[in-house]
Amino acid sequence: MSLLSVTGVTKRFGGITANKGISFEVQPGELVGIIGPNGAGKSTLFEIISGFYPPDEGEVRLDGARLTGLSPDVVCRRGVARTFQKLRPFPGMTALDNVMVGALTRTKDVRHAREQAREILARVGLGEKIEAHGRTLSTGQRKRLELARALATQPRVLLLDEVTAGVDQRTIPGLVQLVRDLHAGGLTLLVIEHNMRVITAMAPRIVALYLGEVIADGTPDVVTHDRRVVEAYLGQAYTQ
Amino acid sequence: MSDLPQLAVSTILLGGMYALIAVGLTLIFGVMRVVNFAHGEFLMLAMYLAFWAFSLLHFDPYLTLVVSLPLFFVVGWVSYRVVMRPIIHASHNVQVFTTVGLSIALQNVALVLWTADVRFVRTDYYAIVLRFGGAAFNIAQLVAFAIAVVFTAALFAFMRWSYTGKVMRATAQDRQASALMGIDTDRVYATTWAVGITCVGVAGVLLAPVYPVYPTAGLQFVLIAYVTVVLGGLGDMAGALIASLVVAAVEVIGSYVIGTAWKEVLYLLLFIAILVVRPAGLFGQRGAELLGT
Amino acid sequence: MRAIAPALVFFAVAGLAPLVVRDAFLLDGLILILMWGAAGAAWNIAGGYAGQVSLGHSAFFGLGAYAAALCGTRWQLSPWIGLLIGALVATATGFIIGYLSNRLRGPYFVLATIAFSQVLLIGASRWRGFTAGSEGIPVPFRPGFWTLGIADKRVWVWIVLTLAVLVYLVQLYLERSRRGYQLAAVREDEDAALSLGVPARRLKVAAIAVSAALTAACGALWAQYVGFVDPVYVFSVDLSVRFSLAAILGGLGTALGPFLGSVLVTTVETYLRARFGGIGAGLVGIYLILYGCALIVMVRFAPQGLVGWIGDRRRHRTAARATP
């Protein structure tokens, strides 16, 4: 049975249909990239999966159990965590505190949560920045913090929204490696990504969205040569 | 049913007044994203202006109106510069407490200067009652209504057709984009605030012949104004107009059915109901209340 | 433990003062400081720690006051029972208000809380059969501990101090505990907190309910101490602002802040009232003008309040000492 199954998800906002009949399955341990031009509905899909918006039609299931209709905190406790495209570290709290909030979802003991938070921060490479306030971190560091926070909730599926966006070139390989390591560790990941070089190297499977619909679903090679994907998103020059 | 004309007329006259107060409040929120908790206090100050002009200088309130309009525009402009500008980009809580602080300060300035004694503006023509189609009302109410309507219409025209009005509406829709387009948002805010204060500056003078004047007089009106503004959708001027009539109707019919003592409860309950069921109001954008902005 | 040292000192001084001070006026001042501090701290639980800024907390205070007064007059029960009843009713009301206002943010939430408190104000003023209407209820003085008829101000200090310490401890718990961390997350960014599994909705409602219960307790004690419950005062927006003022001046979201804020506010107020009270009600308004201006100035220049200001100076001094 797939770990995460999205079936016929449709979402309308007034006159705009952001998601139209989106369906795909994610197996345990998979890393699936999600691509598409702006307005394709990628972030909306994440909002729906994580419980922030209810879909107008369709459903999302985790291990066979319905996720649709549950509030975001319940979805997280069930095992789906996410990061936000527009970074939102808790500004007044230190990095350690930030991650502790995530850890406290799984443990009631504050000291235990603190230890776990330290470990995770070290794992994502923020070991030195534990006492720094969310505000003072660079974009790359904030990305790692968001990641650490979400990881602290011990998710079974992690939704990453634009992990390399807004980050300078030097920092990208480090972030990519981090995601790879998480995947190697057995985590199931859904990654929204604009940077084609990054996603084709990282993800064994890519789902392409356009105008709210899935237009391709397969290996990077197949998807990047798919006619519709080329027309809608990549442009002819890409496939040369 | 024979009371219907009276109820209708009372509703319309009252609604017109509420509209003037509400429109200023909703304008300020629409453009500046600030709920002005001190709105009622400026109204109260205008009422006192009318009172003192009347008792010391024997100015008819409608004459005072000519003075209050530019005066309150200036008051608005100055209060923006001194109090509001520093916190215009601050968090909601800071803004809330700033206008609340302003409200308390102004109420008590009035209390200290003029005591808690209730004052009345009793013009000679106050007692004249007009009758029309089965409804009775006094001339002060009618004139207040008429002037309020003219003023509100002028405001709408200004917002719709003047350059400044368009600039204000643009800023209301998208602060950042407006700033990027070269609009001096600070100037827009100052103007918006000043216009909003002018509205209550006018309203206060119009209300003085009809209602008692005392330091906390602003409170009852501002509460009604909040209800109206939320019902019509925070930021929606046309919505505020329609909502004014609805709120006036609730008040008039409510007083008629259950008596004046409990009528405030009626629109408070209406308020709570709106906030719970549809905080965006009749015309506001769904979900606006989730953003709080 | 260094962090709570100032609080220990504060409460110790307050507790020992009655043994040394005999002056009724000073003791009265201390009682009011502790009482408004406790009310401010109770407000702080919802407003400071949970980020649910309410200007309707007088609703809870009034419920507590009325419960105590009605128990004393109408039902011939001990005001202590009144305190319990008031706290229970306030908790229930807090749950309702919290639940109904749950989705509201920013100014919408503030307006909702104001509306709720005004409904209670009007209800209490008009429901003559139950609450003696707008005339208010004079609270009878029957000597004895069980009837809270205590003439000795020193005992009052200790009673109010107990409540104050209780509220302080609740705040402290919020700072250190798991729920406290989660609440702080909700305060900083509710959606981000939700995405991390924090049950934001439940926590907000719980914070308001706890805050309500403690505020009502303050109201009940206040009613017995002052001896008169006036609906227009006890449910007023001014009173709600007063609670928040103590917390803001002292330090929003800090445990000792509201008490420090209360020291400042109550001292100024008592001084002004003693100095000018005889001259006429008009000048009584002066300290309220000061409140208003204090609010405007504080939120702009020192949003961290006294606690933050003191903390900053200490950090500057330590930094200055560190650099050779």
Side-chain angles (χ1 to χ4, degrees):
Chain A
M1 161 151 51
S2 2
L3 182 55
L4 184 72
S5 84
V6 176
T7 324
V9 163
T10 303
K11 180 73 185 170
R12 285 174 276 267
F13 292 109
I16 302 173
T17 308
N19 287 156
K20 197 188 300 182
I22 296 192
S23 302
F24 59 88
E25 312 278 314
V26 179
Q27 304 306 323
E30 264 202 280
L31 197 171
V32 181
I34 312 227
I35 65 171
N38 286 330
K42 309 189 294 291
S43 285
T44 308
L45 182 62
F46 268 22
E47 304 277 347
I48 291 177
I49 296 176
S50 60
F52 279 93
Y53 294 151
D56 295 319
E57 285 163 40
E59 58 174 25
V60 179
R61 283 178 184 267
L62 183 72
D63 239 352
R66 276 191 75 212
L67 278 186
T68 21
L70 296 177
S71 66
D73 55 301
V74 178
V75 169
C76 174
R77 292 201 288 276
R78 290 280 183 93
V80 177
R82 66 172 293 186
T83 62
F84 290 88
Q85 185 178 4
K86 239 174 99 183
L87 296 175
R88 332 165 60 144
F90 298 121
M93 296 166 86
T94 63
L96 187 64
D97 290 336
N98 263 273
V99 180
M100 275 173 74
V101 174
L104 285 168
T105 299
R106 294 296 176 202
T107 170
K108 297 211 172 141
D109 189 295
V110 172
R111 255 175 325 182
H112 190 208
R114 194 169 282 131
E115 276 157 35
Q116 283 185 348
R118 267 189 232 276
E119 268 181 323
I120 295 177
L121 279 168
R123 216 191 329 159
V124 305
L126 283 176
E128 251 109 75
K129 287 283 172 184
I130 281 179
E131 293 299 328
H133 278 272
R135 289 188 286 260
T136 63
L137 300 172
S138 71
T139 311
Q141 288 165 338
R142 284 191 200 192
K143 297 262 178 190
R144 286 172 195 264
L145 181 59
E146 285 253 330
L147 201 55
R149 232 173 38 171
L151 281 176
T153 64
Q154 292 166 21
R156 300 171 63 194
V157 178
L158 181 57
L159 308 176
L160 293 180
D161 200 338
E162 301 278 4
V163 111
T164 66
V167 170
D168 65 74
Q169 293 289 76
R170 284 172 305 148
T171 330
I172 290 183
L175 285 171
V176 170
Q177 189 54 46
L178 183 52
V179 176
R180 278 235 187 83
D181 291 341
L182 291 172
H183 182 218
L187 190 55
T188 311
L189 291 141
L190 248 65
V191 182
I192 292 181
E193 190 48 67
H194 260 129
N195 187 325
M196 289 308 296
R197 228 171 347 140
V198 164
I199 199 63
T200 47
M202 193 201 294
R205 174 179 162 207
I206 295 181
V207 171
L209 295 184
Y210 180 60
L211 293 181
E213 292 181 306
V214 174
I215 56 172
D217 181 348
T219 65
D221 216 41
V222 164
V223 170
T224 53
H225 285 89
D226 182 294
R227 186 182 48 85
R228 278 180 306 169
V229 175
V230 168
E231 267 170 25
Y233 187 44
L234 297 174
Q236 293 291 357
Y238 187 81
T239 51
Q240 294 344 347
Chain B
M1 277 303 110
S2 62
D3 292 321
L4 200 55
Q6 178 68 62
L7 291 178
V9 168
S10 296
T11 300
I12 294 174
L13 292 180
L14 200 56
M17 289 313 310
Y18 289 165
L20 187 55
I21 302 172
V23 144
L25 192 60
T26 211
L27 181 66
I28 289 176
F29 185 82
V31 176
M32 298 167 75
R33 295 288 186 260
V34 171
V35 173
N36 181 14
F37 284 94
H39 211 64
E41 275 57 56
F42 289 105
L43 180 82
M44 174 269 296
L45 289 176
M47 291 174 89
Y48 267 103
L49 176 71
F51 169 74
W52 287 115
F54 181 69
S55 53
L56 294 180
L57 303 171
H58 303 291
F59 275 14
D60 188 280
Y62 304 120
L63 180 58
T64 312
L65 195 61
V66 174
V67 171
S68 91
L69 206 150
L71 179 65
F72 273 83
F73 188 85
V74 170
V75 166
W77 192 272
V78 169
S79 58
Y80 170 80
R81 283 258 127 79
V82 173
V83 178
M84 298 306 295
R85 177 154 55 150
I87 49 111
I88 196 71
H89 293 297
S91 73
H92 291 299
N93 292 335
V94 171
Q95 292 177 340
V96 165
F97 282 108
T98 301
T99 52
V100 166
L102 187 60
S103 153
I104 294 178
L106 289 177
Q107 269 179 44
N108 287 282
V109 163
L111 180 64
V112 168
L113 287 179
W114 304 313
T115 81
D117 292 344
V118 178
R119 322 280 185 162
F120 296 92
V121 174
R122 287 277 181 257
T123 53
D124 298 325
Y125 47 83
Y126 176 76
I128 300 175
V129 172
L130 300 173
R131 284 179 206 284
F132 182 79
F137 44 89
N138 66 42
I139 209 172
Q141 283 179 307
L142 183 64
V143 176
F145 171 75
I147 298 181
V149 164
V150 167
F151 193 79
T152 311
L155 188 62
F156 267 81
F158 170 76
M159 290 299 288
R160 187 99 204 287
W161 288 308
S162 78
Y163 176 70
T164 315
K166 289 192 183 140
V167 163
M168 283 160 76
R169 278 187 294 141
T171 313
Q173 288 193 2
D174 194 330
R175 278 189 194 196
Q176 282 185 322
S178 302
L180 288 173
M181 304 283 291
I183 291 177
D184 183 346
T185 46
D186 183 56
R187 207 103 191 277
V188 172
Y189 295 148
T191 311
T192 306
W193 183 266
V195 168
I197 302 299
T198 308
C199 286
V200 278
V202 170
V205 171
L206 292 176
L207 287 174
V210 184
Y211 288 92
V213 180
Y214 50 96
T216 49
L219 289 181
Q220 64 176 119
F221 290 108
V222 89
L223 197 53
I224 295 172
Y226 292 152
V227 178
T228 308
V229 152
V230 171
L231 179 60
L234 270 175
D236 191 318
M237 282 173 69
L241 282 189
I242 299 179
S244 312
L245 281 175
V246 173
V247 171
V250 167
E251 183 175 335
V252 167
I253 297 172
S255 308
Y256 181 68
V257 172
I258 60 175
T260 48
W262 290 89
K263 69 170 185 214
E264 291 148 315
V265 177
L266 266 187
Y267 53 71
L268 279 174
L269 289 178
L270 172 66
F271 192 37
I272 292 173
I274 304 167
L275 284 173
V276 171
V277 172
R278 208 196 146 98
L282 294 173
F283 306 103
Q285 269 209 316
R286 257 250 156 112
E289 74 285 1
L290 295 177
L291 301 174
T293 41
Chain C
M1 288 304 111
R2 269 179 45 219
I4 65 169
L8 281 175
V9 170
F10 179 84
F11 290 120
V13 167
L16 293 171
L19 299 175
V20 181
V21 176
R22 299 288 150 152
D23 188 308
F25 177 72
L26 289 178
L27 285 177
D28 179 69
L30 180 58
I31 293 168
L32 289 177
I33 287 177
L34 289 172
M35 197 166 308
W36 295 127
W43 181 90
N44 198 22
I45 291 172
Y49 287 99
Q52 301 293 289
V53 168
S54 127
L55 286 180
H57 257 58
S58 58
F60 310 128
F61 190 87
L63 282 173
Y66 265 99
L70 288 171
C71 277
T73 52
R74 201 174 261 272
W75 302 319
Q76 308 298 318
L77 289 172
S78 157
W80 289 109
I81 309 242
L83 193 154
L84 271 174
I85 295 179
L88 282 172
V89 174
T91 310
T93 313
F95 268 118
I96 296 173
I97 294 177
Y99 182 74
L100 289 179
S101 322
N102 211 284
R103 286 177 314 153
L104 302 175
R105 313 268 171 106
Y108 288 92
F109 180 77
V110 179
L111 288 174
T113 58
I114 293 178
F116 279 113
S117 71
Q118 296 310 288
V119 168
L120 284 177
L121 192 160
I122 295 169
S125 309
R126 311 263 190 236
W127 199 357
R128 298 189 161 263
F130 188 53
T131 62
S134 53
E135 287 135 24
I137 302 182
V139 178
F141 182 89
R142 295 190 205 101
F145 188 78
W146 185 237
T147 53
L148 253 189
I150 293 161
D152 191 346
K153 292 212 192 268
R154 293 179 304 163
V155 179
W156 266 112
V157 170
W158 290 320
I159 293 176
V160 184
L161 181 62
T162 312
L163 180 61
V165 170
L166 175 65
V167 185
Y168 175 79
L169 290 174
V170 171
Q171 293 181 107
L172 210 59
Y173 168 76
L174 283 182
E175 262 175 35
R176 309 283 172 88
S177 70
R178 172 190 186 220
R179 290 307 186 195
Y181 271 97
Q182 293 181 322
L183 209 55
V186 171
R187 177 181 79 224
E188 302 255 324
D189 188 334
E190 188 169 332
D191 281 341
L194 281 171
S195 76
L196 292 172
V198 173
R201 187 174 191 156
R202 262 190 280 154
L203 287 179
K204 287 196 296 182
V205 175
I208 294 175
V210 168
S211 173
L214 293 169
T215 308
C218 294
L221 287 184
W222 180 88
Q224 282 298 132
Y225 181 68
V226 163
F228 186 78
V229 178
D230 167 18
V232 173
Y233 177 68
V234 118
F235 285 118
S236 65
V237 176
D238 277 346
L239 197 57
S240 303
V241 172
R242 197 213 180 105
F243 302 150
S244 65
L245 187 65
I248 289 174
L249 283 186
L252 199 60
T254 66
L256 188 59
F259 294 101
L260 293 182
S262 175
V263 168
L264 190 59
V265 168
T266 313
T267 313
V268 169
E269 183 181 348
T270 317
Y271 172 73
L272 284 177
R273 202 186 266 138
R275 201 75 163 52
F276 297 111
I279 299 180
L283 286 169
V284 153
I286 287 186
Y287 72 80
L288 285 171
I289 299 178
L290 286 178
Y291 276 4
C293 296
L295 262 182
I296 297 175
V297 168
M298 278 312 276
V299 294
R300 168 137 179 254
F301 292 107
Q304 303 291 56
L306 281 174
V307 169
W309 185 74
I310 296 176
D312 271 346
R313 321 225 69 218
R314 279 165 74 202
R315 251 173 283 148
H316 280 147
R317 255 186 288 146
T318 342
R321 255 184 277 148
T323 53

